[in-house]
Amino acid sequence: MTRDPSKRSLALTCIGLSFLFQGLVVLTDPLVPPDHAVLHMMIPVHVRAFLWTGCGLVTIIWAWAKHWQWVAVVAAVVMPLERLISYLWSTLHWLIPGPPGGTAWSLVDAGRWASLVALIVVIAGWVEWDRAGGDADDS
């Protein structure tokens, strides 16, 4: 008997797919000169692409493991946290005068990545119910 896909599994799979595509975008986008105030831009492009793709694959694969979904959640939160920290660092450099200078837009980007981290945390906390009305997470 196969298990019905849960909302959490499907949501984590969608997040993992978006990370796979982000890895391709990072690899194929024209190179932008690194901004020293934005930490993730200091990581080589091929390493960033590998991290996005790797986290995406781990998220997709482990999203379907009933008792090990926490692995998918950790993989899903790694790269958004990397971006969040990077843009908060740039915001700090914007607030403190001197080189390297960040921008106010870094605060907007930090908010965007913080909302994705919050969404992943909400998805991780979803309680799945089986068709009989019981808690499927406890079985």
Side-chain angles (χ1 to χ4, degrees), residues 8-83:
R8 186 184 313 127
S9 296
L10 291 172
L12 287 170
T13 300
C14 289
I15 290 168
L17 282 172
S18 71
F19 287 4
L20 284 176
F21 291 126
Q22 180 67 21
L24 291 173
V25 167
V26 167
L27 196 57
T28 60
D29 248 6
L31 295 177
V32 178
D35 181 352
H36 293 283
V38 183
L39 292 177
H40 74 267
M41 293 184 81
M42 300 306 297
I43 301 171
V45 172
H46 63 281
V47 173
R48 282 189 286 145
F50 173 78
L51 289 171
W52 277 109
T53 306
C55 286
L57 285 173
V58 170
T59 301
I60 291 168
I61 292 167
W62 287 96
W64 299 94
K66 185 173 184 176
H67 296 291
W68 289 84
Q69 274 187 343
W70 65 268
V71 175
V73 172
V74 169
V77 83
V78 166
M79 293 310 291
L81 274 177
E82 176 253 358
R83 291 289 172 108

Side-chain angles (χ1 to χ4, degrees), residues 61-110:
I61 292 167
W62 287 96
W64 299 94
K66 185 173 184 176
H67 296 291
W68 289 84
Q69 274 187 343
W70 65 268
V71 175
V73 172
V74 169
V77 83
V78 166
M79 293 310 291
L81 274 177
E82 176 253 358
R83 291 289 172 108
L84 173 60
I85 291 167
S86 179
Y87 285 117
L88 286 175
W89 182 257
S90 177
T91 301
L92 183 65
H93 280 280
W94 169 64
L95 293 172
I96 300 171
T103 67
W105 286 107
S106 293
L107 188 57
V108 174
D109 284 325

